[in-house]
Amino acid sequence: MIGHLTRSERQLTLYMLLAVVITGLAMLVAGKDDSLGVHGALVMVVGIAAIFGVIAEFFEPEPTENRLDSYYDEPSRIGIVFAMAWAAFGLFVGAWVAWQLAYPSLNFEAGWTSFGRLRPVHTTSVIFGFGGNALIATSFYVMQRTSRARIPDQISPLFIVFGYNLFCLLAVSGYMIGVTQSKEYAEPEWYADIWLVIVWVTYFVVYMRTLLHRKEPHIYVANWYYLAFVLIVAVLHIVNNLAVPVSFSSAKSYTIFAGVQDAMTQWWYGHNAVAFFLTAGFLGMMYYFLPKRAGRPLYSYRMSIISFWGITFFYLWAGSHHLHYTALPQWVQTLGMTFSVMLLVPSWTAAANALLTLNGAWHRVRDDATLRFMMVAAVFYGLTTFEGSFLAIRAVNSLSHYTDWTVGHVHAGALGWVAMITFGSIYAAVPWLWKRENMYSPRLVEVHFWLALAGTIVYVLAMWNSGIIQGLMWRTYASDGTLAYSFLDSLVVMHPYYIARAVGGTLFLIGALVGCYNIWMTVRAPRQPMAGPEADYPEPRVPVGSVPQAAE
Amino acid sequence: MFKALFTFHYWLERKAIGFVVAILMVSSVGGIVEIAPLFTIHQTVEAAPDMRLYTPLELAGRNIYVREGCYACHSQMIRTLRDEVERYGPYSLAVESKYDHPMLWGSKRTGPDLARIGNKYSDEWHVLHFIDPRALVPPSVMPSYARLLNNSLRTDDLGNHLTAQRAVGVPYSDEMIANARADAFGQANPDSPLSEGVSKRYGEATTVRPFDGKPDHLTEMDAIVAYLQILGRLTEAPYKTAATTGE
């Protein structure tokens, strides 16, 4: 993993890991009576394990001098492995908690296995573990190709990938031992949040340095989206996580916002985590891998511009639609609703741009499950954004809010759009990254595709049904003017849908496991010579000094 | 005009720094317009002079509620809709969560809303329900929290908790902070000398009871039940306004 680093870079890596171990030790000592100490020990163990990993390869031969002439793909490879591992874990936990809602005894009565603790484990593992690693891995891949420039640094991309996964590990293990801020999709406590800021700023710097080294005059549209993702997620993360720790020996902190201001800040964050983590970044993925795999140029440059700036501007206004009819002032709710409806324009422009790019390549969609993953993702992106705008209308929201309809909507987006575009992109990128002719088994990609699609449809249909039934039951009046159903009546009716949802989720999980196996076998296959556009390099390698210099 | 915009973009997308600045400017408008005024427009949060603070025990209970992820299935926000007001009680006012760092309005009702759960059931009901939810409510899908009854409540850092709360704007007094630990014990043990200070500092209406039925042992069950019993009871404001009539 560090074979491409020089001896002095390996030394520097060791010093950085030593700093990690010392930080862990400090956390352990300061928080010895607290969960903070548990996390300190965890950080130490991870740091020490990494030090052993580096020492094991320390005296391997140094890389050849021409290492800087090719793209830097090791961080992308590591990121994809992490992404698939988190997918398997996160989807497993998701399926597990889904079964718990159908059969509550499946938590086996342990504290850490209760629904309330595992639910953020699931969301964080799939959003930040699976999605985040896939975004980091593909963004490194895409920004180098579209800029025709190698990442100008050797250690920082590795720091970003491993540092980011340490954040995910702290987050997920924290929930299980009861460390959480309770802010949805921003649950990690203050020290993990600070660590993420350090990692994220490094990410931004690496991204910008590569862009500034680019040899293409224009910045390709995929990079606009990745850039918006990196930048705006940083702003959202920092603002929403402003908090005062109980003490430096405590894992607990209190957010600086209270009540209605906290609610608005949280959903400004929450909805734009959807927008810039789960949408912008993955649109960047789509804008590179879909045209590439289809062998077609992007349909419209102007549509890209309209959708990009529309999404960047409108989305930040939309968060308040999570708070319709609450104690949030009505004018904010109305603004949120209005902008959510307007969002449909840039969203559908982006989806249409992707689907129209496939014109002339539909036979490939038929034959190639990898491209079909991306096509279905674009369709689900269109469907989900339509549903999102619809649910943001106040009257519709009065029925849908607090019900499973929201859960169904989220999963139409997360499974149908985010996971599908990611699997499609990963299946495209894995052979390119590991220099293989093809995936180990295109048939298994096909199997994965149908499992994922079936799982998504079963899941979403189940939640649409249960959500709408719930919403209607809660507001149904009997002829004598009293509420017709108790809350429990509605809960009893949910049971068959909760089973159906768990089945859908399990199908999706099995699909992902098939994908893990397929990728593993591809990576293990012997290296084959590659030809064509994937044997790509920033510039044709020319011996130094043999090129005549242009006259001044 | 569109042509000019596209020409401008053709120029902009060649400038990495310019592009970053453009993204930051375009994206920050929405948040600034929607969030900043919430801190300055006074009507956003109603006045409620009788609004009281969480006692150290209730705050500890709230932290257990957060720790266990109760907010994943229970909302604490009754919307201004007729059926919600009739099902749960007066709709929630902004002032009721003005000391809530963070707010726990929730986003999903796998179980019912809890904004007005306080005083609705007895302490014994809550304890039994936490131990075995399906013994009292057969179709319930809630996990058991029997272990809260055996877990001693951590009190040594309660003073720090109140200090941190004060740092973010909750008006705890020096006296409250100094007595945080004693007040936690006192609130769950009415017969102990410590209990007097609780009502002195937090008001006569404060519930001082052996919440889990075991006055000699301060447990996490005491804390979470004390917290649930105060929900919707920090101020009488919602019961005196139009909130009772719905839309």
Side-chain angles (χ1 to χ4, degrees), chain A residues 34 117 178 184 214 217-219 254-255 257-259 261-262 301 309 316-317 325 398 402 404 474 485 487, chain B residues 9 13-14 27 34 38 63 67-68 77 79-80 87 97 100-103 107-109 111 154 161 165:
Chain A
D34 194 271
R117 290 201 190 182
E184 280 184 77
R214 74 187 183 282
H218 289 267
I219 302 173
Y254 291 106
T255 174
F257 306 110
Q261 292 92 358
D262 186 40
Y301 162 71
W309 290 105
L316 278 295
W317 295 73
Y325 297 100
S398 74
Y402 294 135
D404 286 323
W474 292 347
Y485 301 104
F487 187 89
Chain B
H9 201 276
E13 71 191 40
R14 278 177 287 177
S27 64
E34 289 189 351
L38 297 179
N63 289 339
R67 181 187 80 190
E68 299 299 335
M77 173 48 62
R79 296 180 293 170
T80 54
R87 187 181 300 279
S97 47
D100 285 8
H101 298 264
M103 58 86 206
S107 59
K108 177 72 173 64
R109 285 180 186 153
R154 183 173 172 191
H161 280 266
Q165 286 265 314

Short mmCIF file of all heavy atoms in Angstrom, two decimals, chain A residues 34 117 178 184 214 217-219 254-255 257-259 261-262 301 309 316-317 325 398 402 404 474 485 487, chain B residues 9 13-14 27 34 38 63 67-68 77 79-80 87 97 100-103 107-109 111 154 161 165:
data_model
loop_
_atom_site.label_atom_id
_atom_site.label_comp_id
_atom_site.label_asym_id
_atom_site.label_seq_id
_atom_site.Cartn_x
_atom_site.Cartn_y
_atom_site.Cartn_z
N ASP A 34 -14.84 7.99 30.84
CA ASP A 34 -15.88 8.42 29.91
C ASP A 34 -15.75 7.64 28.61
O ASP A 34 -14.74 6.98 28.36
CB ASP A 34 -15.67 9.93 29.65
CG ASP A 34 -16.88 10.56 28.98
OD1 ASP A 34 -16.93 10.55 27.74
OD2 ASP A 34 -17.76 11.05 29.71
N ARG A 117 -30.05 2.95 18.57
CA ARG A 117 -28.60 3.08 18.42
C ARG A 117 -28.15 2.60 17.04
O ARG A 117 -27.20 3.13 16.47
CB ARG A 117 -27.89 2.28 19.51
CG ARG A 117 -28.06 2.89 20.89
CD ARG A 117 -26.98 2.40 21.82
NE ARG A 117 -27.27 2.78 23.20
CZ ARG A 117 -26.46 2.51 24.20
NH1 ARG A 117 -25.34 1.86 23.99
NH2 ARG A 117 -26.77 2.89 25.43
N GLY A 178 -23.21 4.74 22.74
CA GLY A 178 -24.04 5.82 23.25
C GLY A 178 -23.49 7.22 23.06
O GLY A 178 -23.93 8.15 23.73
N GLU A 184 -29.65 14.47 13.14
CA GLU A 184 -29.70 13.43 12.10
C GLU A 184 -28.68 13.69 11.00
O GLU A 184 -28.60 14.79 10.46
CB GLU A 184 -31.12 13.36 11.51
CG GLU A 184 -32.06 12.56 12.40
CD GLU A 184 -33.42 12.40 11.78
OE1 GLU A 184 -33.58 11.57 10.88
OE2 GLU A 184 -34.34 13.13 12.20
N ARG A 214 -3.95 21.72 -13.80
CA ARG A 214 -4.56 21.02 -14.93
C ARG A 214 -3.99 21.50 -16.26
O ARG A 214 -3.54 22.65 -16.39
CB ARG A 214 -6.08 21.19 -14.90
CG ARG A 214 -6.58 22.56 -15.31
CD ARG A 214 -8.07 22.68 -15.08
NE ARG A 214 -8.55 23.99 -15.54
CZ ARG A 214 -8.38 25.12 -14.85
NH1 ARG A 214 -7.77 25.11 -13.68
NH2 ARG A 214 -8.83 26.27 -15.33
N PRO A 217 -7.76 23.58 -20.49
CA PRO A 217 -8.14 24.95 -20.13
C PRO A 217 -9.44 25.01 -19.34
O PRO A 217 -9.59 25.81 -18.42
CB PRO A 217 -8.27 25.66 -21.48
CG PRO A 217 -8.32 24.58 -22.51
CD PRO A 217 -7.65 23.37 -21.94
N HIS A 218 -10.40 24.13 -19.69
CA HIS A 218 -11.70 24.19 -19.03
C HIS A 218 -11.80 23.16 -17.92
O HIS A 218 -11.22 22.09 -18.00
CB HIS A 218 -12.83 23.93 -20.04
CG HIS A 218 -13.01 25.06 -20.99
ND1 HIS A 218 -13.91 26.08 -20.80
CD2 HIS A 218 -12.37 25.35 -22.14
CE1 HIS A 218 -13.83 26.94 -21.79
NE2 HIS A 218 -12.90 26.53 -22.62
N ILE A 219 -12.57 23.52 -16.88
CA ILE A 219 -12.84 22.57 -15.81
C ILE A 219 -14.06 21.78 -16.22
O ILE A 219 -15.13 22.36 -16.46
CB ILE A 219 -13.08 23.30 -14.48
CG1 ILE A 219 -11.88 24.17 -14.13
CG2 ILE A 219 -13.38 22.31 -13.37
CD1 ILE A 219 -12.10 25.06 -12.93
N TYR A 254 -22.86 20.14 23.87
CA TYR A 254 -24.17 20.74 23.62
C TYR A 254 -24.06 21.70 22.46
O TYR A 254 -23.21 22.59 22.44
CB TYR A 254 -24.68 21.46 24.87
CG TYR A 254 -25.03 20.51 26.00
CD1 TYR A 254 -24.22 20.39 27.12
CD2 TYR A 254 -26.17 19.71 25.91
CE1 TYR A 254 -24.54 19.50 28.14
CE2 TYR A 254 -26.49 18.82 26.93
CZ TYR A 254 -25.69 18.72 28.03
OH TYR A 254 -26.00 17.83 29.03
N THR A 255 -24.95 21.51 21.48
CA THR A 255 -24.93 22.38 20.30
C THR A 255 -25.24 23.82 20.72
O THR A 255 -26.00 24.05 21.65
CB THR A 255 -25.95 21.87 19.26
OG1 THR A 255 -26.02 22.80 18.20
CG2 THR A 255 -27.33 21.72 19.86
N PHE A 257 -26.93 26.02 19.16
CA PHE A 257 -28.27 26.48 18.78
C PHE A 257 -29.31 25.77 19.65
O PHE A 257 -29.09 24.66 20.11
CB PHE A 257 -28.55 26.18 17.32
CG PHE A 257 -27.52 26.72 16.38
CD1 PHE A 257 -26.67 25.85 15.70
CD2 PHE A 257 -27.38 28.08 16.17
CE1 PHE A 257 -25.70 26.33 14.84
CE2 PHE A 257 -26.41 28.57 15.30
CZ PHE A 257 -25.57 27.70 14.64
N ALA A 258 -30.45 26.44 19.83
CA ALA A 258 -31.52 25.82 20.62
C ALA A 258 -32.83 25.88 19.84
O ALA A 258 -33.03 26.76 19.01
CB ALA A 258 -31.68 26.55 21.95
N GLY A 259 -33.70 24.95 20.14
CA GLY A 259 -35.09 25.00 19.69
C GLY A 259 -35.26 25.27 18.21
O GLY A 259 -34.73 24.55 17.37
N GLN A 261 -34.26 27.67 16.20
CA GLN A 261 -33.06 27.97 15.40
C GLN A 261 -32.26 26.71 15.14
O GLN A 261 -31.72 26.51 14.05
CB GLN A 261 -32.18 29.01 16.10
CG GLN A 261 -32.78 30.40 16.20
CD GLN A 261 -33.57 30.60 17.48
OE1 GLN A 261 -33.70 29.70 18.30
NE2 GLN A 261 -34.10 31.80 17.66
N ASP A 262 -32.20 25.85 16.14
CA ASP A 262 -31.48 24.59 15.96
C ASP A 262 -32.18 23.73 14.92
O ASP A 262 -31.53 23.11 14.07
CB ASP A 262 -31.40 23.85 17.30
CG ASP A 262 -30.54 22.60 17.21
OD1 ASP A 262 -29.49 22.66 16.53
OD2 ASP A 262 -30.91 21.58 17.79
N TYR A 301 -24.08 20.76 -23.09
CA TYR A 301 -23.23 21.57 -22.22
C TYR A 301 -24.07 22.62 -21.50
O TYR A 301 -23.91 22.87 -20.30
CB TYR A 301 -22.14 22.17 -23.09
CG TYR A 301 -21.41 23.36 -22.54
CD1 TYR A 301 -20.51 23.21 -21.48
CD2 TYR A 301 -21.59 24.62 -23.10
CE1 TYR A 301 -19.82 24.31 -20.99
CE2 TYR A 301 -20.89 25.71 -22.61
CZ TYR A 301 -20.02 25.56 -21.56
OH TYR A 301 -19.34 26.64 -21.09
N TRP A 309 -26.00 25.27 -11.65
CA TRP A 309 -26.22 26.48 -10.85
C TRP A 309 -27.60 26.50 -10.23
O TRP A 309 -27.79 27.04 -9.14
CB TRP A 309 -25.95 27.74 -11.69
CG TRP A 309 -24.48 27.85 -11.98
CD1 TRP A 309 -23.86 27.59 -13.16
CD2 TRP A 309 -23.44 28.16 -11.04
NE1 TRP A 309 -22.49 27.73 -13.03
CE2 TRP A 309 -22.21 28.08 -11.75
CE3 TRP A 309 -23.41 28.49 -9.69
CZ2 TRP A 309 -20.98 28.33 -11.13
CZ3 TRP A 309 -22.18 28.74 -9.08
CH2 TRP A 309 -20.99 28.66 -9.80
N LEU A 316 -30.21 25.19 -1.17
CA LEU A 316 -29.92 25.72 0.17
C LEU A 316 -31.15 26.38 0.79
O LEU A 316 -31.16 26.66 1.98
CB LEU A 316 -28.77 26.74 0.10
CG LEU A 316 -27.33 26.22 0.08
CD1 LEU A 316 -27.00 25.53 1.37
CD2 LEU A 316 -27.02 25.32 -1.09
N TRP A 317 -32.17 26.63 0.00
CA TRP A 317 -33.39 27.25 0.52
C TRP A 317 -34.40 26.20 0.95
O TRP A 317 -35.42 26.52 1.56
CB TRP A 317 -34.06 28.09 -0.57
CG TRP A 317 -33.28 29.27 -1.05
CD1 TRP A 317 -32.17 29.25 -1.84
CD2 TRP A 317 -33.57 30.65 -0.79
NE1 TRP A 317 -31.76 30.53 -2.10
CE2 TRP A 317 -32.59 31.42 -1.47
CE3 TRP A 317 -34.55 31.30 -0.06
CZ2 TRP A 317 -32.58 32.80 -1.43
CZ3 TRP A 317 -34.54 32.69 -0.03
CH2 TRP A 317 -33.55 33.42 -0.71
N TYR A 325 -45.75 23.16 9.23
CA TYR A 325 -46.75 23.13 10.32
C TYR A 325 -46.11 23.01 11.70
O TYR A 325 -46.79 22.70 12.67
CB TYR A 325 -47.74 21.97 10.15
CG TYR A 325 -48.59 22.05 8.90
CD1 TYR A 325 -48.28 21.30 7.79
CD2 TYR A 325 -49.72 22.88 8.86
CE1 TYR A 325 -49.05 21.37 6.64
CE2 TYR A 325 -50.50 22.94 7.72
CZ TYR A 325 -50.16 22.18 6.61
OH TYR A 325 -50.93 22.24 5.48
N SER A 398 -48.43 17.54 5.03
CA SER A 398 -49.25 17.32 6.24
C SER A 398 -49.61 15.84 6.36
O SER A 398 -49.74 15.31 7.45
CB SER A 398 -50.51 18.19 6.20
OG SER A 398 -51.44 17.66 5.27
N TYR A 402 -43.65 12.53 9.11
CA TYR A 402 -43.63 11.61 10.25
C TYR A 402 -43.99 10.17 9.85
O TYR A 402 -44.03 9.30 10.70
CB TYR A 402 -44.59 12.04 11.37
CG TYR A 402 -44.24 13.34 12.08
CD1 TYR A 402 -45.21 14.29 12.34
CD2 TYR A 402 -42.94 13.58 12.52
CE1 TYR A 402 -44.91 15.46 13.02
CE2 TYR A 402 -42.63 14.75 13.20
CZ TYR A 402 -43.61 15.69 13.45
OH TYR A 402 -43.31 16.84 14.12
N ASP A 404 -43.90 6.60 7.07
CA ASP A 404 -42.95 5.81 6.28
C ASP A 404 -42.83 6.31 4.85
O ASP A 404 -41.94 5.87 4.13
CB ASP A 404 -43.40 4.35 6.26
CG ASP A 404 -43.14 3.65 7.58
OD1 ASP A 404 -42.11 3.95 8.20
OD2 ASP A 404 -43.96 2.81 7.98
N TRP A 474 -54.18 8.38 10.63
CA TRP A 474 -54.01 9.37 11.70
C TRP A 474 -55.01 10.51 11.58
O TRP A 474 -55.36 11.14 12.56
CB TRP A 474 -52.58 9.93 11.68
CG TRP A 474 -51.54 8.93 12.07
CD1 TRP A 474 -51.74 7.71 12.65
CD2 TRP A 474 -50.13 9.04 11.89
NE1 TRP A 474 -50.55 7.07 12.84
CE2 TRP A 474 -49.54 7.85 12.38
CE3 TRP A 474 -49.29 10.03 11.35
CZ2 TRP A 474 -48.15 7.63 12.36
CZ3 TRP A 474 -47.92 9.82 11.33
CH2 TRP A 474 -47.36 8.62 11.83
N TYR A 485 -59.07 6.18 14.50
CA TYR A 485 -58.09 5.14 14.84
C TYR A 485 -57.14 5.63 15.92
O TYR A 485 -56.70 6.78 15.92
CB TYR A 485 -57.27 4.77 13.61
CG TYR A 485 -58.10 4.25 12.46
CD1 TYR A 485 -58.36 5.07 11.37
CD2 TYR A 485 -58.62 2.96 12.48
CE1 TYR A 485 -59.13 4.61 10.31
CE2 TYR A 485 -59.38 2.49 11.42
CZ TYR A 485 -59.63 3.32 10.34
OH TYR A 485 -60.39 2.86 9.31
N PHE A 487 -53.31 5.38 17.72
CA PHE A 487 -51.98 5.22 17.12
C PHE A 487 -51.67 3.74 16.95
O PHE A 487 -51.10 3.32 15.94
CB PHE A 487 -50.93 5.90 17.99
CG PHE A 487 -49.58 5.92 17.33
CD1 PHE A 487 -49.22 6.97 16.50
CD2 PHE A 487 -48.70 4.87 17.50
CE1 PHE A 487 -47.99 6.96 15.85
CE2 PHE A 487 -47.47 4.86 16.86
CZ PHE A 487 -47.12 5.91 16.03
N HIS B 9 -19.98 32.09 -18.55
CA HIS B 9 -19.65 30.81 -17.93
C HIS B 9 -18.46 30.16 -18.61
O HIS B 9 -17.61 29.55 -17.96
CB HIS B 9 -20.87 29.88 -17.98
CG HIS B 9 -20.80 28.79 -16.96
ND1 HIS B 9 -20.11 27.63 -17.17
CD2 HIS B 9 -21.30 28.71 -15.71
CE1 HIS B 9 -20.21 26.87 -16.09
NE2 HIS B 9 -20.91 27.51 -15.18
N GLU B 13 -15.51 28.97 -16.14
CA GLU B 13 -15.11 27.58 -15.91
C GLU B 13 -13.65 27.33 -16.26
O GLU B 13 -13.19 26.20 -16.19
CB GLU B 13 -16.04 26.63 -16.66
CG GLU B 13 -15.85 26.67 -18.16
CD GLU B 13 -16.96 25.93 -18.90
OE1 GLU B 13 -18.12 26.04 -18.49
OE2 GLU B 13 -16.64 25.25 -19.88
N ARG B 14 -12.95 28.36 -16.63
CA ARG B 14 -11.50 28.22 -16.80
C ARG B 14 -10.74 28.75 -15.59
O ARG B 14 -9.53 28.75 -15.56
CB ARG B 14 -11.06 28.96 -18.07
CG ARG B 14 -11.30 28.13 -19.34
CD ARG B 14 -10.94 28.88 -20.58
NE ARG B 14 -11.93 29.91 -20.86
CZ ARG B 14 -11.83 30.78 -21.88
NH1 ARG B 14 -10.78 30.74 -22.67
NH2 ARG B 14 -12.77 31.69 -22.07
N SER B 27 -24.31 29.67 -3.14
CA SER B 27 -24.90 28.71 -2.21
C SER B 27 -25.23 29.32 -0.86
O SER B 27 -26.05 28.79 -0.12
CB SER B 27 -23.97 27.52 -2.01
OG SER B 27 -22.77 27.94 -1.40
N GLU B 34 -32.76 32.60 5.28
CA GLU B 34 -33.73 31.85 6.07
C GLU B 34 -33.34 31.69 7.54
O GLU B 34 -34.20 31.59 8.39
CB GLU B 34 -33.95 30.46 5.45
CG GLU B 34 -34.71 30.52 4.14
CD GLU B 34 -35.11 29.16 3.63
OE1 GLU B 34 -34.67 28.14 4.19
OE2 GLU B 34 -35.86 29.11 2.64
N LEU B 38 -34.05 34.39 12.02
CA LEU B 38 -34.67 33.67 13.15
C LEU B 38 -34.06 34.10 14.47
O LEU B 38 -34.67 33.94 15.53
CB LEU B 38 -34.50 32.16 12.98
CG LEU B 38 -35.19 31.55 11.75
CD1 LEU B 38 -34.91 30.06 11.68
CD2 LEU B 38 -36.68 31.79 11.78
N ASN B 63 -30.38 13.42 28.22
CA ASN B 63 -29.18 12.89 27.58
C ASN B 63 -29.28 11.38 27.34
O ASN B 63 -28.70 10.88 26.37
CB ASN B 63 -27.95 13.23 28.42
CG ASN B 63 -27.62 14.71 28.37
OD1 ASN B 63 -28.05 15.40 27.44
ND2 ASN B 63 -26.90 15.21 29.35
N ARG B 67 -28.92 9.52 23.91
CA ARG B 67 -27.98 8.41 23.81
C ARG B 67 -28.63 7.19 23.18
O ARG B 67 -28.05 6.51 22.33
CB ARG B 67 -27.47 8.07 25.21
CG ARG B 67 -26.46 6.95 25.26
CD ARG B 67 -26.16 6.57 26.71
NE ARG B 67 -27.20 5.70 27.27
CZ ARG B 67 -27.29 5.37 28.55
NH1 ARG B 67 -26.43 5.86 29.42
NH2 ARG B 67 -28.24 4.57 28.97
N GLU B 68 -29.88 6.90 23.60
CA GLU B 68 -30.55 5.71 23.11
C GLU B 68 -31.22 5.91 21.76
O GLU B 68 -31.79 4.99 21.20
CB GLU B 68 -31.59 5.23 24.14
CG GLU B 68 -31.00 4.86 25.49
CD GLU B 68 -30.00 3.71 25.40
OE1 GLU B 68 -30.09 2.91 24.46
OE2 GLU B 68 -29.11 3.64 26.28
N MET B 77 -42.99 17.26 18.50
CA MET B 77 -43.43 18.45 17.79
C MET B 77 -44.84 18.19 17.26
O MET B 77 -45.01 17.46 16.29
CB MET B 77 -42.46 18.76 16.65
CG MET B 77 -42.85 19.88 15.69
SD MET B 77 -43.42 21.43 16.42
CE MET B 77 -41.99 21.96 17.35
N ARG B 79 -47.90 19.33 15.32
CA ARG B 79 -48.11 20.32 14.27
C ARG B 79 -49.47 21.00 14.42
O ARG B 79 -50.35 20.52 15.15
CB ARG B 79 -48.00 19.65 12.90
CG ARG B 79 -46.63 19.09 12.63
CD ARG B 79 -46.54 18.42 11.28
NE ARG B 79 -47.36 17.22 11.22
CZ ARG B 79 -47.62 16.55 10.08
NH1 ARG B 79 -47.14 17.00 8.93
NH2 ARG B 79 -48.36 15.46 10.10
N THR B 80 -49.63 22.10 13.73
CA THR B 80 -50.86 22.89 13.84
C THR B 80 -51.95 22.29 12.95
O THR B 80 -52.46 22.94 12.05
CB THR B 80 -50.60 24.34 13.41
OG1 THR B 80 -50.00 24.30 12.10
CG2 THR B 80 -49.66 25.04 14.34
N ARG B 87 -55.26 14.48 18.95
CA ARG B 87 -54.62 13.22 19.36
C ARG B 87 -53.63 13.45 20.49
O ARG B 87 -53.57 12.68 21.44
CB ARG B 87 -53.92 12.58 18.17
CG ARG B 87 -53.36 11.18 18.45
CD ARG B 87 -52.66 10.59 17.22
NE ARG B 87 -53.54 10.45 16.08
CZ ARG B 87 -54.40 9.44 15.90
NH1 ARG B 87 -54.49 8.49 16.81
NH2 ARG B 87 -55.16 9.39 14.83
N SER B 97 -39.18 24.80 23.33
CA SER B 97 -37.86 24.18 23.15
C SER B 97 -36.75 25.22 23.15
O SER B 97 -35.68 24.99 22.63
CB SER B 97 -37.84 23.35 21.86
OG SER B 97 -38.40 24.04 20.79
N ASP B 100 -33.69 23.90 24.58
CA ASP B 100 -33.32 22.57 24.10
C ASP B 100 -32.09 22.63 23.20
O ASP B 100 -32.17 23.02 22.04
CB ASP B 100 -34.49 21.94 23.35
CG ASP B 100 -35.59 21.46 24.27
OD1 ASP B 100 -35.49 21.76 25.47
OD2 ASP B 100 -36.52 20.81 23.79
N HIS B 101 -30.96 22.22 23.75
CA HIS B 101 -29.70 22.11 22.98
C HIS B 101 -29.32 20.64 22.92
O HIS B 101 -28.78 20.13 23.90
CB HIS B 101 -28.57 22.88 23.66
CG HIS B 101 -28.79 24.36 23.76
ND1 HIS B 101 -28.30 25.25 22.85
CD2 HIS B 101 -29.46 25.10 24.68
CE1 HIS B 101 -28.63 26.49 23.20
NE2 HIS B 101 -29.35 26.42 24.31
N PRO B 102 -29.52 19.92 21.88
CA PRO B 102 -30.23 20.33 20.67
C PRO B 102 -31.73 20.12 20.82
O PRO B 102 -32.18 19.53 21.78
CB PRO B 102 -29.68 19.33 19.65
CG PRO B 102 -29.47 18.09 20.45
CD PRO B 102 -29.06 18.55 21.83
N MET B 103 -32.47 20.59 19.83
CA MET B 103 -33.92 20.30 19.82
C MET B 103 -34.10 18.82 19.50
O MET B 103 -33.26 18.19 18.88
CB MET B 103 -34.64 21.19 18.79
CG MET B 103 -34.15 21.08 17.37
SD MET B 103 -34.92 19.74 16.41
CE MET B 103 -33.65 19.39 15.20
N SER B 107 -38.32 13.41 13.34
CA SER B 107 -38.77 13.46 11.95
C SER B 107 -39.62 12.25 11.59
O SER B 107 -40.05 12.11 10.47
CB SER B 107 -37.57 13.53 11.01
OG SER B 107 -36.75 12.39 11.22
N LYS B 108 -39.87 11.38 12.55
CA LYS B 108 -40.53 10.13 12.21
C LYS B 108 -41.33 9.65 13.42
O LYS B 108 -40.85 9.79 14.55
CB LYS B 108 -39.45 9.09 11.85
CG LYS B 108 -39.96 7.70 11.55
CD LYS B 108 -40.69 7.63 10.22
CE LYS B 108 -41.06 6.22 9.84
NZ LYS B 108 -42.01 5.59 10.75
N ARG B 109 -42.54 9.15 13.16
CA ARG B 109 -43.33 8.60 14.26
C ARG B 109 -43.54 7.10 14.05
O ARG B 109 -44.61 6.69 13.60
CB ARG B 109 -44.69 9.31 14.36
CG ARG B 109 -44.58 10.70 14.94
CD ARG B 109 -45.95 11.37 15.03
NE ARG B 109 -45.78 12.75 15.45
CZ ARG B 109 -46.63 13.72 15.16
NH1 ARG B 109 -47.72 13.47 14.44
NH2 ARG B 109 -46.42 14.96 15.58
N GLY B 111 -43.25 5.41 16.72
CA GLY B 111 -44.10 5.44 17.92
C GLY B 111 -44.75 6.81 17.98
O GLY B 111 -44.48 7.67 17.16
N ARG B 154 -24.85 8.43 36.29
CA ARG B 154 -23.59 9.14 36.50
C ARG B 154 -23.89 10.58 36.89
O ARG B 154 -24.57 11.30 36.16
CB ARG B 154 -22.76 9.10 35.22
CG ARG B 154 -21.42 9.74 35.41
CD ARG B 154 -20.51 9.60 34.22
NE ARG B 154 -19.32 10.41 34.46
CZ ARG B 154 -18.42 10.69 33.55
NH1 ARG B 154 -18.54 10.21 32.32
NH2 ARG B 154 -17.38 11.44 33.86
N HIS B 161 -22.02 19.65 33.06
CA HIS B 161 -23.10 19.70 32.05
C HIS B 161 -23.84 21.03 32.15
O HIS B 161 -24.13 21.67 31.14
CB HIS B 161 -24.07 18.53 32.26
CG HIS B 161 -23.57 17.24 31.69
ND1 HIS B 161 -23.90 16.80 30.44
CD2 HIS B 161 -22.75 16.29 32.20
CE1 HIS B 161 -23.31 15.63 30.19
NE2 HIS B 161 -22.61 15.31 31.26
N GLN B 165 -24.16 24.00 29.45
CA GLN B 165 -25.47 24.51 29.04
C GLN B 165 -25.52 26.03 29.19
O GLN B 165 -26.07 26.72 28.35
CB GLN B 165 -26.56 23.87 29.90
CG GLN B 165 -26.84 22.41 29.56
CD GLN B 165 -28.01 22.27 28.60
OE1 GLN B 165 -29.06 22.89 28.79
NE2 GLN B 165 -27.84 21.47 27.57
#
